Amino acid sequence: MVFQIQISRTETSNVIWVGNYSTTVKWNETVHWSWESKLPLECAAHFVRIRSVVDDAKFPELNFWSSWSSWQAVHVQDFLGQDALFVFPKDKLVEEGSNVTICYISGNIQNNISCYLEGEQIHGEQLDAHVSTFELKNVPFIRKRGTNIYCEENQRNAISDGTVLFVSKVLEEPKDFSCETRDFKTLSCTWDPGTDTALAWSKQPSQSYTLFESFSGKKKHCEEKNRCNWQITQDSQEIYNFTLITENYLRKRSVNLLFNLTHRVHPMSPFNVQFENVSATDAVITWKVHSTGDYFTFLCQVELHGEGKMIQQHNVSVKVNGKYLLNELQPNTDYVAQVRCADANHFWKWSEWSGGDFTTPEAAPSEAPDVWRTMKSGSHNVTLFWKPLSKFHANGKIRFYNVVVENLDKPSRLEHHSIPAPANGTELTLDQCSYRIRVTASNSAGTSPAAVMVVSADPGNKEVEEERIKGTEDGFSMSWKPQSGDVMGYVVEWCDRPQNPLCDFQWKNLGPNTTSTVISSDAFRPGVRYNFRIYGLSTKRIAYFTLSWKNYSTKSQPAFIKGYRVYLKSKAGQCHPGVEKAVLSDNTVCCQYKIDNPEQKTFTVENLQPESFYEFLVTPYTSVGEGPRGTFTKVRTPDEYPSMLLRVILPVSFCVMLLVLGCHLKSQWMKDKCYPDIPDPYKSSVLSLIKSKVNAGKLYVHHMAIED
Amino acid sequence: MRTQITRRTLLSLVLGLLFASMTAMGSCPGDFQVLLGQLQKQAHSMQDPSTLLDPYMRIQGLDFPKLRERCKEHPGAFPSEGALRGLGRRSFLRTLNATLGLVLRRLAAIQQHLPEARGLEKPPAARLSTQDLEMLKMARLNIHGLRNNIFCMSRLLGSSWDAAEPTQAAPGTSPPPTPDPGAFQRKLEGCRFLHGYHRFMSSVGQVFGEWGKSPSQSHRHRPPRALQKEARRPRPSRSSKRLVPRGQLPR
């Protein structure tokens, strides 16, 4: 049936609304229908009437309108008899941006009435003598406690009545709606709810959220405003079609999400992160991942951090247990390593990081200390100075410095000195012999290569050029003539009080081609005299060679490597004092050097004869014994004066050769010029001429003075 | 303005914590002058409309001149200063305590209708709103603190009163339920009530001030029951056009 409804206001003839309502009806059943008036019903009398028609093809004969019912009056309340002012609607709930009609009824038509919205006067239209209306368009949200609208009777100068218009923020569609699982047991759905539309005075609670899944038909009311958990059932449903519905008193909104469960896996963070086989240069990180099925593969990312920055990143494919070798590490260094994982097949999100820290053990220092010395004039005491190794070269905490003194003129026992760190020098009491001094630095893992210097018995030319230079803001600029002979390098030393043992002694190493430098230091003070000395370092060499087997991986050996043995064969068959002799299986004698640190993979063989042949062999040893001895490798130490060969002898030889060749080619000229024969007068050509003239008739005698 | 609010907030906080700590410690100052001094300071602080009425008006959007004019105390809603002066000290303390209890219940009701304002209103209104809400909370704390000191003073004066809440009206005497006057009228009722509260506290401060001038006082006997009735049954206000009988202080 179709019902037609008419609504009138103030009087029945003033029809303000007509509308049709179709519905199916049952016998004796009440039909309900509602209509909301823009003008509050309290402000005017309203009248309603209705008529109907049967709109059913089965009963065409009934398709005619019935008579109108009588007008039904709707009087909410009669205020006209009261000498008072009433404002309506009371506590209406509307949405921000909507239009609202406010009205007041005044029992006393003589009163001049003013109305205000939040302190600002508003102007309306008079509906009749007692009623005025105000159209509020696009009402804004002001506060949760509502917008105050009030009217006053000007004669009384007092607020007569008012109302609160509760303007709600517009319910927003949930944003960023997303669901994921971490364990294939629960789906966690989250979203951004936007503005909370709750209002004060219990007018409207916060909006509600409901999850509905269409394939299962299940629904769940969400307790929280921005997340909801959904139980994953055992029926292995993979595809989910969620609708998130939000609702307040005024509006309802929804968003949809369709996804495959296996594409929304957010793994739990890895656990049981550990570090194994941590050595000075590498470590193995291991971890476990939470199992989510036999066919699940994780893509894990390993990050290594050192000194506050990331230095390595690697990707690893993992099923359950992860493992990765971190190499190229620095000894004695703190590291932080962390790992996170994601679905390798359908990446969704990384898990949180899990990690830990470890510290690599010390390794033997990798560089020889920077050493220099001073000698007091008139004395053979030598003061050694050395600079602390940098962290990069120290590879650990330097425990002590070793100073080995060897008398080159009287080979005997070596003099050993061990100076505990921290130390920056030591004093040696020597005599008038030449000494070779070797300085090394040691930490808990081993000893550095040696810094070697030779203190000659002959102090050399004591006449030293002295020059006065002036310092600038940049420092002291100085230059020198290149030293004759082969120079390995130069050392510039300086201090402020050279005779004072408290002198701040400093030095700087320079290359062999350097002939000038600028010495600058924050310690230089204005007005202070500094003494600089420049030394050229002789190229007289001590024969040695350095062996290196850095590529030998101790980790990948089938046994625990405890150290190495270096065997050295020479023609002389002699070993330097302090070096052990060994007899090989073929009964040859050789020198044996022992290295007890498996991480030490370099070794310098010193005190060798120049221009000599040697054979060496390096072999590891374990607790059971040595490794296989391969063949010895031959090596020849360089000449003592190789530069001189190149720079002096060759040019000289070449010149001599040229000279000899020239002399050979021009030997006759040389002979004539340098040592001509004494002329024989009888063989002289002049005499031959005289003879021929005599024979001609007259004898002319020429006097030839033969001069000596 | 904001600086004043901050200073007053701090003062309220300090006073409230001080008094709450005294309760926690379960100890009362034994010195009459010390306790009286604290009571005077509290009364002086609580008479200031900026501690309660002003924040309430701002929160409810009543902070306009024409609405401020409407926020005046209903005559009879709170005991007058003259009536308070006429009471003996113990009776005065009992009346003060009972009235403050009613005020606390009213404040609790007000706060129930105030959902948190954060994140919705535009700043700086949001900041102001949050500050005003905090002041409402502080006002309740301050009243609790004052009641604790009232209890201590009554003990000092030898009263056996145990600071229990005043008994409710007996069944059968409760006023008939009134139709909802609407949120606007309820807002105005609230601000009128708070205006009366501040006036009441000013009167209390005056009375305490006189205590200090005459430490040894003679007890004046006036029936306290009439005064309590006066506190519970304010005369109906003419301005109220809602014909709602007021049997007791508005809830």
Side-chain angles (χ1 to χ4, degrees), chain A residues 550-590:
Chain A
K550 283 189 178 172
N551 290 331
Y552 182 76
S553 171
T554 54
K555 293 278 180 292
S556 56
Q557 301 307 317
F560 293 106
I561 304 300
K562 300 192 80 175
Y564 307 92
R565 298 279 184 265
V566 177
Y567 293 96
L568 187 74
K569 283 200 280 192
S570 65
K571 279 193 177 172
Q574 295 293 323
C575 297
H576 195 74
V579 180
E580 201 177 308
K581 277 191 181 178
V583 178
L584 301 174
S585 56
D586 58 358
N587 292 326
T588 53
V589 176
C590 62

Side-chain angles (χ1 to χ4, degrees), chain A residues 85-119:
Chain A
L85 179 71
F86 303 97
V87 180
F88 296 105
K90 294 294 182 195
D91 305 348
K92 186 177 175 66
L93 174 64
V94 298
E95 207 170 57
E96 184 180 30
S98 55
N99 300 331
V100 179
T101 302
I102 306 292
C103 64
Y104 72 74
I105 302 177
S106 173
N108 188 342
I109 61 174
Q110 303 301 321
N111 292 339
N112 191 4
I113 296 165
S114 301
C115 294
Y116 301 85
L117 184 149
E118 294 285 323

